[in-house]
Amino acid sequence: MQYELTCACGWTTSGDEEEIVEAAQDHGRKLHNMEVTREQAMAMAGPAGAD
Ligand SMILES: [Zn+2]
């Protein structure tokens, strides 16, 4: 399944669950100096193309 994830800052990524979780964790560390859990990442994600 493909997901899209949009951060509160407007950054977006898409891919399968593993890809967006890793991307969100990397983004959180680098841009927001915070650790993002898998649960947090998936809470921000939605199915790709849903809108
Ligand atoms: Zn962000």
Side-chain angles (χ1 to χ4, degrees):
M1 179 165 177
Q2 295 291 300
Y3 295 90
E4 287 178 349
L5 183 156
T6 303
C7 181
C9 73
W11 173 88
T12 64
T13 189
S14 60
D16 65 23
E17 177 173 339
E18 212 55 45
E19 289 171 336
I20 65 164
V21 168
E22 286 185 15
Q25 290 177 331
D26 186 61
H27 173 79
R29 273 185 218 111
K30 288 178 176 169
L31 275 294
H32 303 295
N33 194 32
M34 62 181 267
E35 289 296 322
V36 179
T37 67
R38 174 174 298 265
E39 287 70 27
Q40 288 170 329
M42 294 313 293
M44 292 192 293
D51 57 342

